[in-house]
Amino acid sequence: MASARDPVVVGVYLTRQARTLPGRASQELLIEAVKGAIADAGIDRRDIDGVALEWPGPGGAPGDSASWAPYFGAPLKWVDSHYMDTTGVRGVLKAGAAISAGLCDTVVIGSARAGPFNTTGAAVGSGMGLEWIDAYGASTMAYFALVARRHMHQFGTTSEQIAHVAAVIRNHGRTNPEATLFGGEPVTVDDILASPMIADPLHRLDCCLMNEGGAALIMTTAERARDLNVKGVRVAGGAMEFAQGNYINPPLYRDVRTLGEVAVKRAFGQAGLSVADVDVFCMYDPCSFEVLRQFEMLGLCGEGEGGDFVAGDRLTLAGDCPTNLDGGMLAGSWTGTSQLTGKVIEGVRQIRGGLGDRQVADAEVALVTNAGSGAQHIETLILTGS
């Protein structure tokens, strides 16, 4: 039963994404993203009464979302400052819960990243005493590669099948002006396989891009959204699933093979929909293999059948599972956390319509995922036209 307090996304904004953004700072990028999302929603910044932002407001203490209150010009009614909870699906679900519960009415979530990169290839959270990172030098891609290699051994999945996913999604980015690889030369499976090995079996072009940039979005109640001059996108369902702590022990395939299955069932149950209703897939793509695995997790093919399932044009605009039509993270951007919000933004935009050559005709249902098997957690979100 629809409610006047159902959470609806009414504003989105993605800053420029690039390998480096000289002269930019993380907080400055986040301020740009916040301003852009407010403008996209057509609201006044004083309408914001809930905040979940990665960086503090101007002059605020680190990790204190309440410090944004002077910026928005009024006391805040709800804040969240936890690193992973201010962005992406997790941020949307927590902010949506706060809105539904009546704790606040209009929330901004977002994050940004700029500045020097850790060039050791260490996983997210490196330097925080993670058992298999600081002591042994594991990397994000090594975690995902462990899962991919076991899948190949057990089911005969080939490097060519994995590389096909990378080629399709990277080529999507060639036509998206916001993607880092916009306008580049077409990428083939042979190009993927010829690129240097990063973590067997993942080649460089199987892996996402490390960039700088920011993203933010605005959520409000369904009742308030009806008064705005924008097409609101309803948060119809969502759920999370955790196998263990983020990048702690190396993932074992037997433990993460179906990671996300329970969350997806819960999310679709909330929405009153099934995976067959999905018009567009905004899948988390830290590497090409994870997209393949998530289609198995969704039940669209059997375990071990993902390589055959993603073949041909299935993931393209012409296929029946159009996936990461913006170029995803393989052609777009991985920025620490703001790419999590980027996945939501693409889902919102597809439902709003007007994306030209990458628009899924009459898109009404978008599935968004964050994280995956290597990270040993996954968040899922169902977006629908309001």
Side-chain angles (χ1 to χ4, degrees):
M1 180 71 67
S3 164
R5 296 208 63 86
D6 282 348
V8 175
V9 180
V10 293
V12 296
Y13 187 85
L14 197 66
T15 73
R16 183 185 169 213
Q17 311 286 304
R19 180 64 183 86
T20 59
L21 295 171
R24 306 299 300 271
S26 298
Q27 187 184 59
E28 177 205 356
L29 284 169
L30 183 55
I31 291 172
E32 177 192 334
V34 168
K35 287 181 176 179
I38 289 172
D40 186 57
I43 62 175
D44 189 280
R45 67 180 178 179
R46 288 169 294 187
D47 294 328
I48 302 292
D49 62 355
V51 169
L53 295 171
E54 182 178 16
W55 297 95
D64 184 10
S65 283
S67 62
W68 284 89
Y71 180 84
F72 293 120
L76 299 173
K77 299 181 177 68
W78 178 84
V79 298
D80 193 327
S81 302
H82 189 271
Y83 169 66
M84 288 289 289
D85 292 353
T86 59
T87 188
V89 172
R90 203 183 299 187
V92 167
L93 294 181
K94 293 189 73 175
I99 289 170
S100 295
L103 300 180
C104 56
D105 295 319
T106 305
V107 179
V108 57
I109 76 168
S111 61
R113 172 175 173 161
F117 281 91
N118 181 336
T119 57
T120 64
V124 178
S126 179
M128 299 172 64
L130 296 180
E131 181 180 3
W132 290 94
I133 304 301
D134 295 342
Y136 298 100
S139 69
T140 302
M141 287 303 107
Y143 274 61
F144 283 93
L146 286 170
V147 184
R149 175 52 70 186
R150 181 64 193 183
H151 193 278
M152 295 173 74
H153 171 78
Q154 193 162 327
F155 301 108
T157 307
T158 67
S159 293
E160 288 77 10
Q161 289 173 322
I162 296 172
H164 175 74
V165 175
V168 170
I169 294 176
R170 283 178 175 267
N171 284 327
H172 287 164
R174 292 177 50 248
T175 62
N176 176 14
E178 289 185 311
T180 304
L181 299 186
F182 171 65
E185 293 297 318
V187 179
T188 68
V189 169
D190 287 342
D191 292 330
I192 307 295
L193 298 178
S195 64
M197 188 71 74
I198 297 299
D200 186 17
L202 302 176
H203 296 78
R204 177 183 291 168
L205 297 185
D206 280 309
C207 304
C208 65
L209 304 179
M210 293 181 66
N211 283 352
E212 299 181 356
L217 59 82
I218 306 293
M219 300 172 62
T220 191
T221 65
E223 181 178 42
R224 171 72 172 119
R226 286 192 288 269
D227 295 331
L228 301 177
N229 190 31
V230 295
K231 181 177 180 179
V233 174
R234 189 167 71 95
V235 177
M240 314 178 203
E241 188 174 334
F242 303 84
Q244 61 172 306
N246 198 37
Y247 295 106
I248 302 298
N249 297 313
L252 299 176
Y253 178 75
R254 64 174 181 261
D255 296 333
V256 298
R257 46 185 277 277
T258 61
L259 181 68
E261 185 178 65
V262 173
V264 164
K265 288 180 179 178
R266 183 181 291 270
F268 279 116
Q270 294 167 1
L273 299 168
S274 74
V275 69
D277 297 309
V278 175
D279 298 308
V280 60
F281 296 81
C282 303
M283 309 280 270
Y284 202 67
D285 54 340
C287 66
S288 47
F289 169 77
E290 180 59 22
V291 176
L292 182 155
R293 187 203 69 85
Q294 288 194 24
F295 276 113
E296 295 182 5
M297 173 271 291
L298 289 169
L300 286 169
C301 59
E303 185 178 12
E305 297 174 358
D308 289 332
F309 181 82
V310 299
D313 293 333
R314 173 160 265 148
L315 307 188
T316 70
L317 185 63
D320 57 2
C321 293
T323 300
N324 296 1
L325 298 175
D326 60 343
M329 290 150 52
L330 289 166
S333 193
W334 179 94
T335 49
T337 58
S338 67
Q339 82 285 347
L340 301 167
T341 303
K343 292 295 180 186
V344 182
I345 288 174
E346 175 64 8
V348 169
R349 287 173 167 176
Q350 284 286 348
I351 293 173
R352 281 181 167 184
L355 292 179
D357 291 342
R358 79 169 195 271
Q359 178 65 54
V360 174
D362 303 317
E364 284 293 327
V365 180
L367 170 66
V368 181
T369 64
N370 283 173
S373 58
Q376 302 183 82
H377 67 93
I378 194 166
E379 292 82 42
T380 63
L381 183 70
I382 311 296
L383 298 171
T384 66
S386 61

Short mmCIF file of all heavy atoms in Angstrom, two decimals, residues 265-307:
data_model
loop_
_atom_site.label_atom_id
_atom_site.label_comp_id
_atom_site.label_asym_id
_atom_site.label_seq_id
_atom_site.Cartn_x
_atom_site.Cartn_y
_atom_site.Cartn_z
N LYS A 265 15.83 -11.27 -2.66
CA LYS A 265 14.48 -11.79 -2.40
C LYS A 265 13.72 -10.85 -1.47
O LYS A 265 12.52 -10.58 -1.68
CB LYS A 265 14.56 -13.19 -1.80
CG LYS A 265 14.98 -14.27 -2.79
CD LYS A 265 15.05 -15.63 -2.14
CE LYS A 265 15.46 -16.70 -3.14
NZ LYS A 265 15.58 -18.04 -2.52
N ARG A 266 14.39 -10.35 -0.46
CA ARG A 266 13.74 -9.43 0.47
C ARG A 266 13.34 -8.13 -0.25
O ARG A 266 12.24 -7.61 -0.06
CB ARG A 266 14.66 -9.13 1.64
CG ARG A 266 14.05 -8.22 2.71
CD ARG A 266 15.06 -7.96 3.83
NE ARG A 266 15.30 -9.16 4.60
CZ ARG A 266 14.61 -9.51 5.69
NH1 ARG A 266 13.61 -8.75 6.09
NH2 ARG A 266 14.92 -10.60 6.34
N ALA A 267 14.26 -7.60 -1.06
CA ALA A 267 14.00 -6.34 -1.76
C ALA A 267 12.82 -6.48 -2.73
O ALA A 267 11.92 -5.62 -2.77
CB ALA A 267 15.25 -5.89 -2.50
N PHE A 268 12.83 -7.55 -3.52
CA PHE A 268 11.72 -7.74 -4.46
C PHE A 268 10.41 -8.00 -3.73
O PHE A 268 9.34 -7.60 -4.19
CB PHE A 268 12.04 -8.87 -5.43
CG PHE A 268 12.92 -8.46 -6.58
CD1 PHE A 268 14.19 -9.01 -6.72
CD2 PHE A 268 12.49 -7.53 -7.51
CE1 PHE A 268 15.00 -8.64 -7.78
CE2 PHE A 268 13.30 -7.14 -8.57
CZ PHE A 268 14.56 -7.70 -8.71
N GLY A 269 10.50 -8.68 -2.59
CA GLY A 269 9.29 -8.91 -1.80
C GLY A 269 8.68 -7.61 -1.31
O GLY A 269 7.45 -7.43 -1.34
N GLN A 270 9.53 -6.67 -0.88
CA GLN A 270 9.04 -5.37 -0.45
C GLN A 270 8.36 -4.62 -1.60
O GLN A 270 7.35 -3.94 -1.41
CB GLN A 270 10.19 -4.53 0.10
CG GLN A 270 10.81 -5.06 1.38
CD GLN A 270 12.13 -4.37 1.69
OE1 GLN A 270 12.59 -3.49 0.96
NE2 GLN A 270 12.78 -4.78 2.78
N ALA A 271 8.96 -4.75 -2.79
CA ALA A 271 8.47 -4.01 -3.95
C ALA A 271 7.26 -4.68 -4.59
O ALA A 271 6.57 -4.05 -5.41
CB ALA A 271 9.59 -3.87 -4.98
N GLY A 272 6.99 -5.95 -4.24
CA GLY A 272 5.92 -6.68 -4.90
C GLY A 272 6.24 -6.98 -6.35
O GLY A 272 5.33 -7.04 -7.20
N LEU A 273 7.52 -7.19 -6.64
CA LEU A 273 7.98 -7.43 -8.00
C LEU A 273 8.88 -8.65 -8.02
O LEU A 273 9.19 -9.23 -6.97
CB LEU A 273 8.77 -6.21 -8.52
CG LEU A 273 8.00 -4.88 -8.61
CD1 LEU A 273 8.97 -3.73 -8.84
CD2 LEU A 273 6.96 -4.93 -9.71
N SER A 274 9.34 -9.02 -9.21
CA SER A 274 10.33 -10.09 -9.35
C SER A 274 11.41 -9.62 -10.30
O SER A 274 11.28 -8.59 -10.97
CB SER A 274 9.66 -11.37 -9.90
OG SER A 274 9.36 -11.22 -11.28
N VAL A 275 12.48 -10.40 -10.38
CA VAL A 275 13.58 -10.01 -11.26
C VAL A 275 13.14 -9.94 -12.72
O VAL A 275 13.71 -9.19 -13.53
CB VAL A 275 14.77 -11.00 -11.09
CG1 VAL A 275 14.43 -12.37 -11.63
CG2 VAL A 275 16.03 -10.44 -11.75
N ALA A 276 12.09 -10.66 -13.07
CA ALA A 276 11.57 -10.61 -14.44
C ALA A 276 10.99 -9.24 -14.78
O ALA A 276 10.82 -8.91 -15.96
CB ALA A 276 10.51 -11.70 -14.64
N ASP A 277 10.68 -8.43 -13.76
CA ASP A 277 10.10 -7.11 -13.99
C ASP A 277 11.15 -6.03 -14.24
O ASP A 277 10.81 -4.90 -14.60
CB ASP A 277 9.25 -6.68 -12.78
CG ASP A 277 8.06 -7.59 -12.56
OD1 ASP A 277 7.31 -7.83 -13.53
OD2 ASP A 277 7.89 -8.08 -11.43
N VAL A 278 12.42 -6.36 -14.03
CA VAL A 278 13.48 -5.36 -14.13
C VAL A 278 13.69 -4.95 -15.58
O VAL A 278 13.85 -5.78 -16.47
CB VAL A 278 14.79 -5.88 -13.52
CG1 VAL A 278 15.93 -4.89 -13.73
CG2 VAL A 278 14.62 -6.18 -12.04
N ASP A 279 13.72 -3.63 -15.81
CA ASP A 279 13.95 -3.10 -17.15
C ASP A 279 15.41 -2.74 -17.38
O ASP A 279 15.89 -2.78 -18.53
CB ASP A 279 13.10 -1.84 -17.37
CG ASP A 279 11.61 -2.12 -17.29
OD1 ASP A 279 11.15 -3.04 -17.98
OD2 ASP A 279 10.92 -1.43 -16.52
N VAL A 280 16.10 -2.35 -16.33
CA VAL A 280 17.49 -1.92 -16.48
C VAL A 280 18.28 -2.33 -15.23
O VAL A 280 17.79 -2.25 -14.11
CB VAL A 280 17.57 -0.39 -16.70
CG1 VAL A 280 16.97 0.38 -15.55
CG2 VAL A 280 19.00 0.05 -16.97
N PHE A 281 19.50 -2.82 -15.46
CA PHE A 281 20.36 -3.31 -14.39
C PHE A 281 21.53 -2.35 -14.19
O PHE A 281 22.28 -2.08 -15.13
CB PHE A 281 20.90 -4.70 -14.74
CG PHE A 281 19.84 -5.77 -14.84
CD1 PHE A 281 19.08 -5.91 -16.00
CD2 PHE A 281 19.58 -6.61 -13.77
CE1 PHE A 281 18.10 -6.88 -16.10
CE2 PHE A 281 18.60 -7.59 -13.85
CZ PHE A 281 17.86 -7.72 -15.02
N CYS A 282 21.66 -1.84 -12.97
CA CYS A 282 22.78 -0.97 -12.60
C CYS A 282 23.63 -1.77 -11.61
O CYS A 282 23.52 -1.61 -10.38
CB CYS A 282 22.28 0.32 -11.98
SG CYS A 282 21.14 1.24 -13.06
N MET A 283 24.47 -2.65 -12.15
CA MET A 283 25.19 -3.63 -11.36
C MET A 283 26.55 -3.10 -10.94
O MET A 283 27.25 -2.44 -11.72
CB MET A 283 25.39 -4.90 -12.17
CG MET A 283 24.11 -5.43 -12.80
SD MET A 283 23.11 -6.35 -11.65
CE MET A 283 23.77 -7.98 -11.90
N TYR A 284 26.93 -3.43 -9.72
CA TYR A 284 28.25 -3.03 -9.23
C TYR A 284 29.31 -3.81 -9.99
O TYR A 284 29.30 -5.03 -10.01
CB TYR A 284 28.34 -3.29 -7.73
CG TYR A 284 29.40 -2.46 -7.06
CD1 TYR A 284 29.26 -1.08 -6.96
CD2 TYR A 284 30.54 -3.04 -6.51
CE1 TYR A 284 30.23 -0.29 -6.34
CE2 TYR A 284 31.51 -2.26 -5.89
CZ TYR A 284 31.35 -0.90 -5.80
OH TYR A 284 32.30 -0.12 -5.20
N ASP A 285 30.23 -3.10 -10.63
CA ASP A 285 31.21 -3.74 -11.51
C ASP A 285 32.65 -3.35 -11.14
O ASP A 285 33.35 -2.74 -11.95
CB ASP A 285 30.91 -3.41 -12.98
CG ASP A 285 30.82 -1.91 -13.25
OD1 ASP A 285 30.60 -1.14 -12.29
OD2 ASP A 285 30.94 -1.51 -14.41
N PRO A 286 33.10 -3.73 -9.94
CA PRO A 286 34.51 -3.51 -9.61
C PRO A 286 35.42 -4.28 -10.57
O PRO A 286 36.54 -3.88 -10.85
CB PRO A 286 34.64 -4.03 -8.18
CG PRO A 286 33.55 -5.05 -8.07
CD PRO A 286 32.43 -4.51 -8.89
N CYS A 287 34.89 -5.41 -11.05
CA CYS A 287 35.56 -6.18 -12.10
C CYS A 287 34.48 -6.87 -12.92
O CYS A 287 33.34 -7.02 -12.47
CB CYS A 287 36.54 -7.20 -11.51
SG CYS A 287 35.73 -8.50 -10.56
N SER A 288 34.84 -7.28 -14.12
CA SER A 288 33.86 -7.87 -15.03
C SER A 288 33.25 -9.15 -14.49
O SER A 288 32.06 -9.42 -14.67
CB SER A 288 34.52 -8.12 -16.39
OG SER A 288 35.77 -8.76 -16.24
N PHE A 289 34.04 -9.96 -13.78
CA PHE A 289 33.52 -11.23 -13.29
C PHE A 289 32.34 -11.03 -12.33
O PHE A 289 31.39 -11.81 -12.33
CB PHE A 289 34.60 -12.05 -12.59
CG PHE A 289 34.04 -13.24 -11.86
CD1 PHE A 289 33.65 -14.38 -12.54
CD2 PHE A 289 33.84 -13.18 -10.48
CE1 PHE A 289 33.08 -15.45 -11.87
CE2 PHE A 289 33.28 -14.25 -9.80
CZ PHE A 289 32.90 -15.40 -10.50
N GLU A 290 32.41 -10.01 -11.50
CA GLU A 290 31.37 -9.83 -10.49
C GLU A 290 30.00 -9.61 -11.13
O GLU A 290 28.98 -10.03 -10.58
CB GLU A 290 31.72 -8.68 -9.55
CG GLU A 290 30.70 -8.39 -8.46
CD GLU A 290 30.43 -9.58 -7.52
OE1 GLU A 290 31.30 -10.49 -7.42
OE2 GLU A 290 29.37 -9.60 -6.89
N VAL A 291 29.95 -8.97 -12.29
CA VAL A 291 28.68 -8.79 -12.99
C VAL A 291 28.13 -10.16 -13.39
O VAL A 291 26.94 -10.45 -13.20
CB VAL A 291 28.88 -7.90 -14.24
CG1 VAL A 291 27.58 -7.80 -15.03
CG2 VAL A 291 29.36 -6.51 -13.82
N LEU A 292 28.98 -10.99 -13.93
CA LEU A 292 28.59 -12.35 -14.32
C LEU A 292 28.04 -13.11 -13.11
O LEU A 292 26.99 -13.76 -13.18
CB LEU A 292 29.80 -13.05 -14.92
CG LEU A 292 29.72 -14.47 -15.47
CD1 LEU A 292 30.81 -14.67 -16.52
CD2 LEU A 292 29.86 -15.51 -14.38
N ARG A 293 28.75 -13.03 -11.98
CA ARG A 293 28.31 -13.76 -10.78
C ARG A 293 26.97 -13.24 -10.29
O ARG A 293 26.11 -14.02 -9.84
CB ARG A 293 29.36 -13.62 -9.66
CG ARG A 293 29.04 -14.50 -8.44
CD ARG A 293 29.69 -14.00 -7.17
NE ARG A 293 29.12 -12.75 -6.69
CZ ARG A 293 28.03 -12.68 -5.92
NH1 ARG A 293 27.39 -13.77 -5.54
NH2 ARG A 293 27.58 -11.50 -5.52
N GLN A 294 26.77 -11.94 -10.37
CA GLN A 294 25.51 -11.41 -9.85
C GLN A 294 24.31 -11.83 -10.68
O GLN A 294 23.21 -11.98 -10.14
CB GLN A 294 25.61 -9.89 -9.73
CG GLN A 294 26.53 -9.45 -8.58
CD GLN A 294 26.40 -7.99 -8.22
OE1 GLN A 294 25.38 -7.36 -8.47
NE2 GLN A 294 27.45 -7.46 -7.62
N PHE A 295 24.49 -12.07 -11.96
CA PHE A 295 23.37 -12.59 -12.75
C PHE A 295 23.01 -14.00 -12.29
O PHE A 295 21.83 -14.38 -12.26
CB PHE A 295 23.69 -12.56 -14.24
CG PHE A 295 23.41 -11.23 -14.88
CD1 PHE A 295 24.45 -10.44 -15.36
CD2 PHE A 295 22.12 -10.76 -14.97
CE1 PHE A 295 24.19 -9.22 -15.93
CE2 PHE A 295 21.84 -9.51 -15.54
CZ PHE A 295 22.89 -8.74 -16.02
N GLU A 296 24.00 -14.79 -11.90
CA GLU A 296 23.70 -16.10 -11.33
C GLU A 296 22.99 -15.94 -10.00
O GLU A 296 22.02 -16.64 -9.71
CB GLU A 296 25.00 -16.90 -11.16
CG GLU A 296 25.69 -17.25 -12.46
CD GLU A 296 26.96 -18.07 -12.25
OE1 GLU A 296 27.25 -18.45 -11.10
OE2 GLU A 296 27.66 -18.34 -13.25
N MET A 297 23.48 -15.02 -9.17
CA MET A 297 22.86 -14.77 -7.87
C MET A 297 21.40 -14.35 -8.01
O MET A 297 20.54 -14.74 -7.21
CB MET A 297 23.66 -13.69 -7.13
CG MET A 297 23.07 -13.20 -5.83
SD MET A 297 21.93 -11.80 -6.04
CE MET A 297 23.02 -10.49 -6.53
N LEU A 298 21.09 -13.60 -9.06
CA LEU A 298 19.72 -13.15 -9.28
C LEU A 298 18.80 -14.27 -9.74
O LEU A 298 17.58 -14.10 -9.76
CB LEU A 298 19.72 -12.03 -10.33
CG LEU A 298 20.30 -10.69 -9.89
CD1 LEU A 298 20.46 -9.77 -11.10
CD2 LEU A 298 19.41 -10.04 -8.84
N GLY A 299 19.38 -15.40 -10.12
CA GLY A 299 18.57 -16.52 -10.58
C GLY A 299 18.17 -16.43 -12.03
O GLY A 299 17.31 -17.20 -12.50
N LEU A 300 18.77 -15.51 -12.77
CA LEU A 300 18.46 -15.41 -14.19
C LEU A 300 19.14 -16.50 -15.00
O LEU A 300 18.81 -16.72 -16.17
CB LEU A 300 18.87 -14.02 -14.71
CG LEU A 300 17.94 -12.89 -14.26
CD1 LEU A 300 18.54 -11.53 -14.58
CD2 LEU A 300 16.57 -13.03 -14.92
N CYS A 301 20.08 -17.16 -14.40
CA CYS A 301 20.69 -18.36 -14.98
C CYS A 301 21.17 -19.22 -13.83
O CYS A 301 21.22 -18.77 -12.68
CB CYS A 301 21.86 -18.01 -15.92
SG CYS A 301 23.20 -17.10 -15.14
N GLY A 302 21.51 -20.46 -14.11
CA GLY A 302 21.97 -21.34 -13.06
C GLY A 302 23.40 -21.05 -12.63
O GLY A 302 24.16 -20.38 -13.35
N GLU A 303 23.78 -21.56 -11.46
CA GLU A 303 25.15 -21.39 -11.01
C GLU A 303 26.10 -22.04 -12.01
O GLU A 303 25.90 -23.17 -12.44
CB GLU A 303 25.33 -22.03 -9.63
CG GLU A 303 26.71 -21.79 -9.04
CD GLU A 303 26.87 -22.38 -7.66
OE1 GLU A 303 25.99 -23.18 -7.25
OE2 GLU A 303 27.87 -22.07 -6.99
N GLY A 304 27.13 -21.28 -12.38
CA GLY A 304 28.09 -21.78 -13.36
C GLY A 304 27.70 -21.49 -14.79
O GLY A 304 28.50 -21.74 -15.71
N GLU A 305 26.50 -20.94 -15.01
CA GLU A 305 26.04 -20.68 -16.37
C GLU A 305 26.17 -19.21 -16.78
O GLU A 305 25.76 -18.81 -17.86
CB GLU A 305 24.57 -21.09 -16.51
CG GLU A 305 24.34 -22.58 -16.29
CD GLU A 305 22.87 -22.95 -16.29
OE1 GLU A 305 22.02 -22.03 -16.43
OE2 GLU A 305 22.55 -24.15 -16.16
N GLY A 306 26.76 -18.41 -15.90
CA GLY A 306 26.84 -16.97 -16.15
C GLY A 306 27.61 -16.61 -17.40
O GLY A 306 27.26 -15.66 -18.11
N GLY A 307 28.68 -17.35 -17.70
CA GLY A 307 29.48 -17.06 -18.88
C GLY A 307 28.67 -17.14 -20.16
O GLY A 307 28.78 -16.27 -21.03
#
